[in-house]
Amino acid sequence: MIETPLEFPSQGTTCRAVLYTPDADSRNLPCIVMAHGFGLTHASGLAPFKEAFCKAGYAVFAFDYRHFGDSEGEPRQVLSPGKEVADWLAALAFARQLDRVDGSRICLWGTSFSGGLVIVAAAKDGNVQCTISQCPMMDGLASLLGVIGYAGIMQALRLTWHGTVDWMRRGLGMSPRYIASAGRPGELGMMTAEDCQEGYVPLMADNAVNYVAAGVSYMIPLFRPTRFASKVTCPALVQICDRDTVAPADAAAKAAGKMPNAEVMHYPVGHFDVYRGEALAQSIRDQLEFLGQSGRL
């Protein structure tokens, strides 16, 4: 792959990205616009997807959200679903203008939290050719109820308390109150099911860290991509992990059912299994087959 570092503005903040192409002379390529999920950077475990897409003849435009990774934005590690949707729309607009990209052939690719973000972005943009959502978080309220299911109501109350402290600190101009993005059962963190710590941490690149501003605990239940699903009329691949502890499979299936042109695939694995081994290989095969079908890209 040829890697070209780029940057683009999103609501006044500079976001950074890398354009991956099969070779230096490629022009007018169909393009996959890609970013990672909750608190992670595009360098965190997504290389197999980038490589597979480039090998198949696609360009990949992979970016980091503001406040994360190589992108600018202070304070660091502050996750706002609304701002991240805006970053998706800014990345999409920028990618469409690139010489090596055919702006009329764009796929939005998201995984985990970004699997829901791409649904909202596609609905708001209205002109992408297709979307891919891998193990997507389609309903933040359902995810919160899932946390209560495996960790108990006290964990939800702990998250709310630390979220309140974070908002108060930032409102007073102080540094955020941080909590772990992923932890072990019983620890304080946004994701603490049995497979979260061991699944999340190995994905982290050098420019990623395992913590996030605690105020996001207020935002997650309000972020419900399923409400936008019916507006995504382009072909959409929704890949559901049936043993998902992070992004409830039922919520993803319900969201996909609202999409007029959704193709749903189920995998008998957990949320983080899809980033390794045979589950990863199968997910990539299914994505390439989806993209290669007539009328997609």
Side-chain angles (χ1 to χ4, degrees):
M1 296 188 297
I2 303 299
E3 302 181 17
T4 305
L6 296 167
E7 58 184 43
F8 62 93
S10 181
Q11 296 180 328
T13 302
T14 298
C15 292
R16 294 193 171 88
V18 177
L19 178 68
Y20 301 86
T21 54
D23 56 66
D25 299 321
S26 300
R27 292 292 184 273
N28 296 318
L29 293 172
C31 182
I32 316 295
V33 179
M34 172 186 295
H36 218 310
F38 189 92
L40 288 176
T41 64
H42 77 81
S44 299
L46 300 186
F49 301 97
K50 299 171 184 175
E51 292 165 1
F53 291 141
C54 277
K55 185 176 180 180
Y58 300 99
V60 176
F61 184 80
F63 70 95
D64 288 339
Y65 306 108
R66 70 182 91 173
H67 302 288
F68 291 89
D70 293 333
S71 292
E72 296 182 358
E74 295 291 340
R76 305 302 292 168
Q77 300 299 118
V78 174
L79 194 159
S80 164
K83 291 180 179 179
E84 292 194 349
V85 169
D87 293 345
W88 272 99
L89 294 173
L92 175 59
F94 184 82
R96 282 180 171 142
Q97 304 302 314
L98 296 174
D99 290 340
R100 282 176 277 177
V101 169
D102 182 346
S104 67
R105 292 189 292 166
I106 300 284
C107 173
L108 300 187
W109 185 100
T111 185
S112 188
F113 194 73
S114 65
L117 290 169
V118 300
I119 297 304
V120 181
K124 288 180 174 290
D125 177 78
N127 198 34
V128 297
Q129 282 57 61
C130 58
T131 64
I132 294 174
S133 295
Q134 177 182 259
C135 56
M137 199 286 281
M138 292 291 200
D139 190 332
L141 180 58
S143 294
L144 174 62
L145 294 175
V147 169
I148 294 174
Y150 69 69
I153 188 65
M154 287 304 298
Q155 180 75 330
L157 293 176
R158 290 172 74 195
L159 292 172
T160 300
W161 165 250
H162 285 276
T164 301
V165 172
D166 178 42
W167 282 114
M168 292 176 63
R169 287 179 61 87
R170 284 193 272 155
L172 294 171
M174 302 170 66
S175 61
R177 166 67 61 87
Y178 291 110
I179 60 174
S181 298
R184 295 183 174 86
E187 295 180 347
L188 176 65
M190 289 301 298
M191 298 176 283
T192 58
E194 291 284 350
D195 60 338
C196 289
Q197 172 84 7
E198 289 71 21
Y200 187 92
V201 172
L203 294 174
M204 290 168 47
D206 290 342
N207 66 345
V209 294
N210 185 22
Y211 58 84
V212 67
V216 72
S217 61
Y218 277 97
M219 297 181 179
I220 293 298
L222 303 177
F223 182 61
R224 309 187 69 188
T226 186
R227 296 181 302 171
F228 293 82
S230 63
K231 298 179 181 179
V232 179
T233 57
C234 63
L237 176 62
V238 181
Q239 297 175 294
I240 299 174
C241 296
D242 290 329
R243 301 173 188 165
D244 204 316
T245 61
V246 174
D250 289 347
K254 289 178 181 178
K258 299 177 182 180
M259 299 180 200
N261 291 304
E263 179 178 334
V264 180
M265 307 203 75
H266 289 264
Y267 305 85
V269 299
H271 186 82
F272 296 99
D273 295 324
V274 78
Y275 299 105
R276 55 182 179 253
E278 176 53 31
L280 167 64
Q282 186 61 56
S283 179
I284 289 175
R285 286 195 293 268
D286 292 339
Q287 292 173 23
L288 290 174
E289 182 177 353
F290 169 80
L291 292 171
Q293 293 179 21
S294 177
R296 302 285 162 80
L297 279 192

